[in-house]
Structures are given as structure tokens and as C-alpha cells.
PDB file of all heavy atoms in Angstrom:
ATOM      1  N   LEU O   1       0.836  -1.194   0.000  1.00  0.00           N
ATOM      2  CA  LEU O   1       0.000   0.000   0.000  1.00  0.00           C
ATOM      3  C   LEU O   1       0.877   1.252   0.000  1.00  0.00           C
ATOM      4  O   LEU O   1       2.050   1.212   0.374  1.00  0.00           O
ATOM      5  CB  LEU O   1      -0.913   0.009   1.235  1.00  0.00           C
ATOM      6  CG  LEU O   1      -1.957  -1.103   1.299  1.00  0.00           C
ATOM      7  CD1 LEU O   1      -2.703  -1.029   2.626  1.00  0.00           C
ATOM      8  CD2 LEU O   1      -2.928  -1.005   0.142  1.00  0.00           C
ATOM      9  N   ARG O   2       0.287   2.353  -0.403  1.00  0.00           N
ATOM     10  CA  ARG O   2       1.003   3.630  -0.396  1.00  0.00           C
ATOM     11  C   ARG O   2       1.129   4.149   1.037  1.00  0.00           C
ATOM     12  O   ARG O   2       0.173   4.064   1.812  1.00  0.00           O
ATOM     13  CB  ARG O   2       0.249   4.675  -1.210  1.00  0.00           C
ATOM     14  CG  ARG O   2       0.204   4.396  -2.683  1.00  0.00           C
ATOM     15  CD  ARG O   2      -0.582   5.447  -3.392  1.00  0.00           C
ATOM     16  NE  ARG O   2      -1.946   5.459  -2.819  1.00  0.00           N
ATOM     17  CZ  ARG O   2      -2.851   6.392  -3.049  1.00  0.00           C
ATOM     18  NH1 ARG O   2      -2.564   7.401  -3.822  1.00  0.00           N
ATOM     19  NH2 ARG O   2      -4.045   6.324  -2.521  1.00  0.00           N
ATOM     20  N   PRO O   3       2.275   4.710   1.398  1.00  0.00           N
ATOM     21  CA  PRO O   3       2.387   5.348   2.709  1.00  0.00           C
ATOM     22  C   PRO O   3       1.490   6.580   2.755  1.00  0.00           C
ATOM     23  O   PRO O   3       1.555   7.420   1.858  1.00  0.00           O
ATOM     24  CB  PRO O   3       3.856   5.746   2.805  1.00  0.00           C
ATOM     25  CG  PRO O   3       4.546   5.147   1.637  1.00  0.00           C
ATOM     26  CD  PRO O   3       3.515   4.722   0.659  1.00  0.00           C
ATOM     27  N   MET O   4       0.661   6.662   3.765  1.00  0.00           N
ATOM     28  CA  MET O   4      -0.272   7.785   3.886  1.00  0.00           C
ATOM     29  C   MET O   4       0.011   8.639   5.128  1.00  0.00           C
ATOM     30  O   MET O   4      -0.540   9.712   5.271  1.00  0.00           O
ATOM     31  CB  MET O   4      -1.706   7.262   3.954  1.00  0.00           C
ATOM     32  CG  MET O   4      -2.137   6.435   2.757  1.00  0.00           C
ATOM     33  SD  MET O   4      -2.179   7.329   1.211  1.00  0.00           S
ATOM     34  CE  MET O   4      -3.680   8.250   1.396  1.00  0.00           C
ATOM     35  N   ASP O   5       0.856   8.139   6.022  1.00  0.00           N
ATOM     36  CA  ASP O   5       1.147   8.847   7.264  1.00  0.00           C
ATOM     37  C   ASP O   5       2.576   9.394   7.246  1.00  0.00           C
ATOM     38  O   ASP O   5       3.417   8.952   6.458  1.00  0.00           O
ATOM     39  CB  ASP O   5       0.953   7.908   8.462  1.00  0.00           C
ATOM     40  CG  ASP O   5      -0.497   7.443   8.594  1.00  0.00           C
ATOM     41  OD1 ASP O   5      -1.399   8.156   8.123  1.00  0.00           O
ATOM     42  OD2 ASP O   5      -0.707   6.364   9.162  1.00  0.00           O
ATOM     43  N   MET O   6       2.850  10.320   8.141  1.00  0.00           N
ATOM     44  CA  MET O   6       4.152  10.984   8.210  1.00  0.00           C
ATOM     45  C   MET O   6       5.297  10.008   8.482  1.00  0.00           C
ATOM     46  O   MET O   6       6.425  10.261   8.092  1.00  0.00           O
ATOM     47  CB  MET O   6       4.140  12.056   9.293  1.00  0.00           C
ATOM     48  CG  MET O   6       3.130  13.151   9.017  1.00  0.00           C
ATOM     49  SD  MET O   6       3.631  14.160   7.645  1.00  0.00           S
ATOM     50  CE  MET O   6       4.283  15.546   8.507  1.00  0.00           C
ATOM     51  N   ASP O   7       5.014   8.890   9.127  1.00  0.00           N
ATOM     52  CA  ASP O   7       6.067   7.922   9.464  1.00  0.00           C
ATOM     53  C   ASP O   7       6.358   6.940   8.327  1.00  0.00           C
ATOM     54  O   ASP O   7       7.117   5.987   8.497  1.00  0.00           O
ATOM     55  CB  ASP O   7       5.733   7.171  10.746  1.00  0.00           C
ATOM     56  CG  ASP O   7       4.497   6.284  10.624  1.00  0.00           C
ATOM     57  OD1 ASP O   7       3.840   6.292   9.556  1.00  0.00           O
ATOM     58  OD2 ASP O   7       4.187   5.582  11.593  1.00  0.00           O
ATOM     59  N   GLY O   8       5.745   7.154   7.151  1.00  0.00           N
ATOM     60  CA  GLY O   8       5.999   6.290   6.005  1.00  0.00           C
ATOM     61  C   GLY O   8       5.180   5.020   5.977  1.00  0.00           C
ATOM     62  O   GLY O   8       5.462   4.109   5.205  1.00  0.00           O
ATOM     63  N   THR O   9       4.158   4.935   6.839  1.00  0.00           N
ATOM     64  CA  THR O   9       3.281   3.763   6.865  1.00  0.00           C
ATOM     65  C   THR O   9       1.842   4.210   6.636  1.00  0.00           C
ATOM     66  O   THR O   9       1.589   5.334   6.209  1.00  0.00           O
ATOM     67  CB  THR O   9       3.386   2.998   8.204  1.00  0.00           C
ATOM     68  OG1 THR O   9       2.915   3.833   9.260  1.00  0.00           O
ATOM     69  CG2 THR O   9       4.804   2.547   8.479  1.00  0.00           C
ATOM     70  N   SER O  10       0.924   3.339   6.942  1.00  0.00           N
ATOM     71  CA  SER O  10      -0.500   3.613   6.815  1.00  0.00           C
ATOM     72  C   SER O  10      -1.224   2.833   7.907  1.00  0.00           C
ATOM     73  O   SER O  10      -0.658   1.921   8.496  1.00  0.00           O
ATOM     74  CB  SER O  10      -0.969   3.154   5.428  1.00  0.00           C
ATOM     75  OG  SER O  10      -2.249   3.624   5.149  1.00  0.00           O
ATOM     76  N   ASP O  11      -2.451   3.212   8.200  1.00  0.00           N
ATOM     77  CA  ASP O  11      -3.308   2.502   9.151  1.00  0.00           C
ATOM     78  C   ASP O  11      -4.554   2.039   8.390  1.00  0.00           C
ATOM     79  O   ASP O  11      -5.641   2.579   8.558  1.00  0.00           O
ATOM     80  CB  ASP O  11      -3.701   3.411  10.323  1.00  0.00           C
ATOM     81  CG  ASP O  11      -2.506   3.969  11.061  1.00  0.00           C
ATOM     82  OD1 ASP O  11      -1.588   3.194  11.354  1.00  0.00           O
ATOM     83  OD2 ASP O  11      -2.480   5.182  11.335  1.00  0.00           O
ATOM     84  N   PRO O  12      -4.402   1.030   7.519  1.00  0.00           N
ATOM     85  CA  PRO O  12      -5.458   0.680   6.571  1.00  0.00           C
ATOM     86  C   PRO O  12      -6.604  -0.134   7.157  1.00  0.00           C
ATOM     87  O   PRO O  12      -6.440  -0.898   8.104  1.00  0.00           O
ATOM     88  CB  PRO O  12      -4.717  -0.131   5.521  1.00  0.00           C
ATOM     89  CG  PRO O  12      -3.570  -0.733   6.247  1.00  0.00           C
ATOM     90  CD  PRO O  12      -3.189   0.243   7.301  1.00  0.00           C
ATOM     91  N   TYR O  13      -7.757   0.073   6.530  1.00  0.00           N
ATOM     92  CA  TYR O  13      -8.926  -0.767   6.759  1.00  0.00           C
ATOM     93  C   TYR O  13      -9.707  -0.828   5.451  1.00  0.00           C
ATOM     94  O   TYR O  13      -9.506  -0.011   4.546  1.00  0.00           O
ATOM     95  CB  TYR O  13      -9.793  -0.258   7.910  1.00  0.00           C
ATOM     96  CG  TYR O  13     -10.444   1.090   7.704  1.00  0.00           C
ATOM     97  CD1 TYR O  13     -11.755   1.191   7.252  1.00  0.00           C
ATOM     98  CD2 TYR O  13      -9.767   2.272   7.995  1.00  0.00           C
ATOM     99  CE1 TYR O  13     -12.363   2.425   7.081  1.00  0.00           C
ATOM    100  CE2 TYR O  13     -10.364   3.506   7.834  1.00  0.00           C
ATOM    101  CZ  TYR O  13     -11.667   3.577   7.376  1.00  0.00           C
ATOM    102  OH  TYR O  13     -12.272   4.806   7.205  1.00  0.00           O
ATOM    103  N   VAL O  14     -10.587  -1.817   5.327  1.00  0.00           N
ATOM    104  CA  VAL O  14     -11.358  -2.026   4.105  1.00  0.00           C
ATOM    105  C   VAL O  14     -12.826  -1.725   4.381  1.00  0.00           C
ATOM    106  O   VAL O  14     -13.367  -2.121   5.417  1.00  0.00           O
ATOM    107  CB  VAL O  14     -11.203  -3.480   3.596  1.00  0.00           C
ATOM    108  CG1 VAL O  14     -12.073  -3.720   2.369  1.00  0.00           C
ATOM    109  CG2 VAL O  14      -9.747  -3.778   3.280  1.00  0.00           C
ATOM    110  N   VAL O  15     -13.450  -1.028   3.441  1.00  0.00           N
ATOM    111  CA  VAL O  15     -14.883  -0.756   3.491  1.00  0.00           C
ATOM    112  C   VAL O  15     -15.548  -1.574   2.377  1.00  0.00           C
ATOM    113  O   VAL O  15     -15.133  -1.503   1.222  1.00  0.00           O
ATOM    114  CB  VAL O  15     -15.185   0.742   3.279  1.00  0.00           C
ATOM    115  CG1 VAL O  15     -16.683   0.997   3.296  1.00  0.00           C
ATOM    116  CG2 VAL O  15     -14.477   1.588   4.331  1.00  0.00           C
ATOM    117  N   LEU O  16     -16.560  -2.342   2.750  1.00  0.00           N
ATOM    118  CA  LEU O  16     -17.348  -3.137   1.802  1.00  0.00           C
ATOM    119  C   LEU O  16     -18.760  -2.573   1.781  1.00  0.00           C
ATOM    120  O   LEU O  16     -19.358  -2.367   2.847  1.00  0.00           O
ATOM    121  CB  LEU O  16     -17.398  -4.598   2.233  1.00  0.00           C
ATOM    122  CG  LEU O  16     -16.055  -5.289   2.457  1.00  0.00           C
ATOM    123  CD1 LEU O  16     -16.263  -6.619   3.170  1.00  0.00           C
ATOM    124  CD2 LEU O  16     -15.340  -5.492   1.143  1.00  0.00           C
ATOM    125  N   GLN O  17     -19.290  -2.310   0.566  1.00  0.00           N
ATOM    126  CA  GLN O  17     -20.636  -1.755   0.453  1.00  0.00           C
ATOM    127  C   GLN O  17     -21.422  -2.463  -0.634  1.00  0.00           C
ATOM    128  O   GLN O  17     -20.895  -2.693  -1.731  1.00  0.00           O
ATOM    129  CB  GLN O  17     -20.589  -0.269   0.093  1.00  0.00           C
ATOM    130  CG  GLN O  17     -20.098   0.611   1.212  1.00  0.00           C
ATOM    131  CD  GLN O  17     -20.104   2.062   0.788  1.00  0.00           C
ATOM    132  OE1 GLN O  17     -19.163   2.517   0.147  1.00  0.00           O
ATOM    133  NE2 GLN O  17     -21.156   2.765   1.145  1.00  0.00           N
ATOM    134  N   ILE O  18     -22.670  -2.791  -0.322  1.00  0.00           N
ATOM    135  CA  ILE O  18     -23.598  -3.343  -1.310  1.00  0.00           C
ATOM    136  C   ILE O  18     -25.024  -3.151  -0.794  1.00  0.00           C
ATOM    137  O   ILE O  18     -25.288  -3.346   0.403  1.00  0.00           O
ATOM    138  CB  ILE O  18     -23.302  -4.833  -1.622  1.00  0.00           C
ATOM    139  CG1 ILE O  18     -24.059  -5.292  -2.858  1.00  0.00           C
ATOM    140  CG2 ILE O  18     -23.556  -5.712  -0.427  1.00  0.00           C
ATOM    141  CD1 ILE O  18     -23.619  -6.631  -3.410  1.00  0.00           C
ATOM    142  N   GLU O  19     -25.928  -2.724  -1.672  1.00  0.00           N
ATOM    143  CA  GLU O  19     -27.356  -2.587  -1.357  1.00  0.00           C
ATOM    144  C   GLU O  19     -27.619  -1.926   0.001  1.00  0.00           C
ATOM    145  O   GLU O  19     -28.262  -2.502   0.869  1.00  0.00           O
ATOM    146  CB  GLU O  19     -28.043  -3.946  -1.399  1.00  0.00           C
ATOM    147  CG  GLU O  19     -28.146  -4.540  -2.772  1.00  0.00           C
ATOM    148  CD  GLU O  19     -28.998  -5.794  -2.807  1.00  0.00           C
ATOM    149  OE1 GLU O  19     -29.423  -6.291  -1.748  1.00  0.00           O
ATOM    150  OE2 GLU O  19     -29.244  -6.279  -3.928  1.00  0.00           O
ATOM    151  N   ASP O  20     -27.139  -0.739   0.210  1.00  0.00           N
ATOM    152  CA  ASP O  20     -27.367   0.019   1.450  1.00  0.00           C
ATOM    153  C   ASP O  20     -26.765  -0.641   2.693  1.00  0.00           C
ATOM    154  O   ASP O  20     -27.133  -0.302   3.816  1.00  0.00           O
ATOM    155  CB  ASP O  20     -28.863   0.262   1.696  1.00  0.00           C
ATOM    156  CG  ASP O  20     -29.497   1.088   0.596  1.00  0.00           C
ATOM    157  OD1 ASP O  20     -28.802   1.968   0.046  1.00  0.00           O
ATOM    158  OD2 ASP O  20     -30.686   0.859   0.292  1.00  0.00           O
ATOM    159  N   GLN O  21     -25.871  -1.590   2.513  1.00  0.00           N
ATOM    160  CA  GLN O  21     -25.173  -2.218   3.631  1.00  0.00           C
ATOM    161  C   GLN O  21     -23.701  -1.829   3.545  1.00  0.00           C
ATOM    162  O   GLN O  21     -23.109  -1.855   2.474  1.00  0.00           O
ATOM    163  CB  GLN O  21     -25.301  -3.735   3.564  1.00  0.00           C
ATOM    164  CG  GLN O  21     -26.740  -4.226   3.627  1.00  0.00           C
ATOM    165  CD  GLN O  21     -26.821  -5.695   3.334  1.00  0.00           C
ATOM    166  OE1 GLN O  21     -26.437  -6.514   4.157  1.00  0.00           O
ATOM    167  NE2 GLN O  21     -27.315  -6.038   2.154  1.00  0.00           N
ATOM    168  N   ARG O  22     -23.146  -1.466   4.687  1.00  0.00           N
ATOM    169  CA  ARG O  22     -21.748  -1.035   4.740  1.00  0.00           C
ATOM    170  C   ARG O  22     -21.083  -1.697   5.935  1.00  0.00           C
ATOM    171  O   ARG O  22     -21.598  -1.629   7.053  1.00  0.00           O
ATOM    172  CB  ARG O  22     -21.689   0.483   4.895  1.00  0.00           C
ATOM    173  CG  ARG O  22     -20.302   1.069   4.911  1.00  0.00           C
ATOM    174  CD  ARG O  22     -20.385   2.589   5.052  1.00  0.00           C
ATOM    175  NE  ARG O  22     -19.150   3.243   4.781  1.00  0.00           N
ATOM    176  CZ  ARG O  22     -18.171   3.427   5.653  1.00  0.00           C
ATOM    177  NH1 ARG O  22     -18.311   2.995   6.893  1.00  0.00           N
ATOM    178  NH2 ARG O  22     -17.070   4.054   5.304  1.00  0.00           N
ATOM    179  N   ILE O  23     -19.939  -2.331   5.701  1.00  0.00           N
ATOM    180  CA  ILE O  23     -19.191  -3.008   6.766  1.00  0.00           C
ATOM    181  C   ILE O  23     -17.728  -2.632   6.624  1.00  0.00           C
ATOM    182  O   ILE O  23     -17.218  -2.482   5.512  1.00  0.00           O
ATOM    183  CB  ILE O  23     -19.349  -4.545   6.671  1.00  0.00           C
ATOM    184  CG1 ILE O  23     -20.811  -4.949   6.846  1.00  0.00           C
ATOM    185  CG2 ILE O  23     -18.484  -5.242   7.711  1.00  0.00           C
ATOM    186  CD1 ILE O  23     -21.079  -6.434   6.682  1.00  0.00           C
ATOM    187  N   GLU O  24     -17.039  -2.469   7.752  1.00  0.00           N
ATOM    188  CA  GLU O  24     -15.610  -2.155   7.753  1.00  0.00           C
ATOM    189  C   GLU O  24     -14.835  -3.237   8.494  1.00  0.00           C
ATOM    190  O   GLU O  24     -15.307  -3.776   9.490  1.00  0.00           O
ATOM    191  CB  GLU O  24     -15.345  -0.837   8.483  1.00  0.00           C
ATOM    192  CG  GLU O  24     -15.963   0.364   7.852  1.00  0.00           C
ATOM    193  CD  GLU O  24     -15.686   1.640   8.642  1.00  0.00           C
ATOM    194  OE1 GLU O  24     -14.933   1.592   9.657  1.00  0.00           O
ATOM    195  OE2 GLU O  24     -16.227   2.679   8.254  1.00  0.00           O
ATOM    196  N   THR O  25     -13.625  -3.507   8.008  1.00  0.00           N
ATOM    197  CA  THR O  25     -12.718  -4.368   8.755  1.00  0.00           C
ATOM    198  C   THR O  25     -12.144  -3.563   9.916  1.00  0.00           C
ATOM    199  O   THR O  25     -12.314  -2.349   9.989  1.00  0.00           O
ATOM    200  CB  THR O  25     -11.533  -4.845   7.876  1.00  0.00           C
ATOM    201  OG1 THR O  25     -10.752  -3.708   7.510  1.00  0.00           O
ATOM    202  CG2 THR O  25     -11.999  -5.605   6.660  1.00  0.00           C
ATOM    203  N   ASN O  26     -11.429  -4.235  10.780  1.00  0.00           N
ATOM    204  CA  ASN O  26     -10.637  -3.529  11.787  1.00  0.00           C
ATOM    205  C   ASN O  26      -9.482  -2.841  11.073  1.00  0.00           C
ATOM    206  O   ASN O  26      -9.045  -3.299  10.025  1.00  0.00           O
ATOM    207  CB  ASN O  26     -10.074  -4.519  12.806  1.00  0.00           C
ATOM    208  CG  ASN O  26     -11.162  -5.132  13.647  1.00  0.00           C
ATOM    209  OD1 ASN O  26     -12.014  -4.438  14.173  1.00  0.00           O
ATOM    210  ND2 ASN O  26     -11.154  -6.447  13.753  1.00  0.00           N
ATOM    211  N   TYR O  27      -9.000  -1.752  11.628  1.00  0.00           N
ATOM    212  CA  TYR O  27      -7.840  -1.124  10.998  1.00  0.00           C
ATOM    213  C   TYR O  27      -6.566  -1.716  11.580  1.00  0.00           C
ATOM    214  O   TYR O  27      -6.534  -2.194  12.699  1.00  0.00           O
ATOM    215  CB  TYR O  27      -7.880   0.401  11.130  1.00  0.00           C
ATOM    216  CG  TYR O  27      -7.400   0.976  12.435  1.00  0.00           C
ATOM    217  CD1 TYR O  27      -6.079   1.388  12.571  1.00  0.00           C
ATOM    218  CD2 TYR O  27      -8.251   1.126  13.514  1.00  0.00           C
ATOM    219  CE1 TYR O  27      -5.627   1.924  13.767  1.00  0.00           C
ATOM    220  CE2 TYR O  27      -7.812   1.667  14.706  1.00  0.00           C
ATOM    221  CZ  TYR O  27      -6.494   2.061  14.823  1.00  0.00           C
ATOM    222  OH  TYR O  27      -6.052   2.590  16.005  1.00  0.00           O
ATOM    223  N   LYS O  28      -5.537  -1.747  10.749  1.00  0.00           N
ATOM    224  CA  LYS O  28      -4.236  -2.298  11.136  1.00  0.00           C
ATOM    225  C   LYS O  28      -3.252  -1.139  11.264  1.00  0.00           C
ATOM    226  O   LYS O  28      -3.048  -0.388  10.313  1.00  0.00           O
ATOM    227  CB  LYS O  28      -3.738  -3.315  10.106  1.00  0.00           C
ATOM    228  CG  LYS O  28      -4.666  -4.502   9.928  1.00  0.00           C
ATOM    229  CD  LYS O  28      -4.813  -5.278  11.221  1.00  0.00           C
ATOM    230  CE  LYS O  28      -5.741  -6.466  11.055  1.00  0.00           C
ATOM    231  NZ  LYS O  28      -5.853  -7.256  12.270  1.00  0.00           N
ATOM    232  N   LYS O  29      -2.656  -1.013  12.411  1.00  0.00           N
ATOM    233  CA  LYS O  29      -1.795   0.124  12.715  1.00  0.00           C
ATOM    234  C   LYS O  29      -0.408  -0.004  12.073  1.00  0.00           C
ATOM    235  O   LYS O  29       0.222  -1.048  12.135  1.00  0.00           O
ATOM    236  CB  LYS O  29      -1.655   0.254  14.233  1.00  0.00           C
ATOM    237  CG  LYS O  29      -0.983   1.515  14.681  1.00  0.00           C
ATOM    238  CD  LYS O  29      -1.164   1.709  16.169  1.00  0.00           C
ATOM    239  CE  LYS O  29      -0.466   2.936  16.670  1.00  0.00           C
ATOM    240  NZ  LYS O  29      -1.018   4.158  16.159  1.00  0.00           N
ATOM    241  N   SER O  30       0.026   1.077  11.442  1.00  0.00           N
ATOM    242  CA  SER O  30       1.391   1.263  10.931  1.00  0.00           C
ATOM    243  C   SER O  30       1.899   0.111  10.070  1.00  0.00           C
ATOM    244  O   SER O  30       2.920  -0.499  10.365  1.00  0.00           O
ATOM    245  CB  SER O  30       2.353   1.502  12.101  1.00  0.00           C
ATOM    246  OG  SER O  30       1.972   2.625  12.844  1.00  0.00           O
ATOM    247  N   THR O  31       1.197  -0.161   8.963  1.00  0.00           N
ATOM    248  CA  THR O  31       1.638  -1.228   8.055  1.00  0.00           C
ATOM    249  C   THR O  31       1.271  -0.884   6.615  1.00  0.00           C
ATOM    250  O   THR O  31       0.280  -0.195   6.363  1.00  0.00           O
ATOM    251  CB  THR O  31       1.031  -2.595   8.436  1.00  0.00           C
ATOM    252  OG1 THR O  31       1.548  -3.585   7.553  1.00  0.00           O
ATOM    253  CG2 THR O  31      -0.468  -2.592   8.395  1.00  0.00           C
TER     254      THR O  31
END
């Protein structure tokens, strides 16, 4: 993944959406 934070990492999570339903994964710190 692209680094998005000042420390050169990211805290990513995934958003899934279908038919007015939205679910997110847990976010993973500094990876």
C-alpha cells in the first residue's frame, strides 16, 4: 500500500458496500 502517514506507513482498513449495507474491517496500525 502507499504510505499515507508521516512515518511512512498507513493505518489501513477495508470498506465493503452493497445494497445500502456497509461493513468495515478492523484497521491495522502502521503497516
Side-chain angles (χ1 to χ4, degrees):
L1 295 175
R2 293 179 301 169
M4 301 296 283
D5 297 335
M6 298 290 259
D7 65 356
T9 64
S10 192
D11 303 314
Y13 65 96
V14 177
V15 178
L16 305 168
Q17 289 181 277
I18 193 168
E19 291 188 353
D20 298 326
Q21 300 171 73
R22 182 179 193 275
I23 298 176
E24 297 179 4
T25 65
N26 292 312
Y27 82 94
K28 300 299 180 178
K29 190 167 178 66
S30 301
T31 183

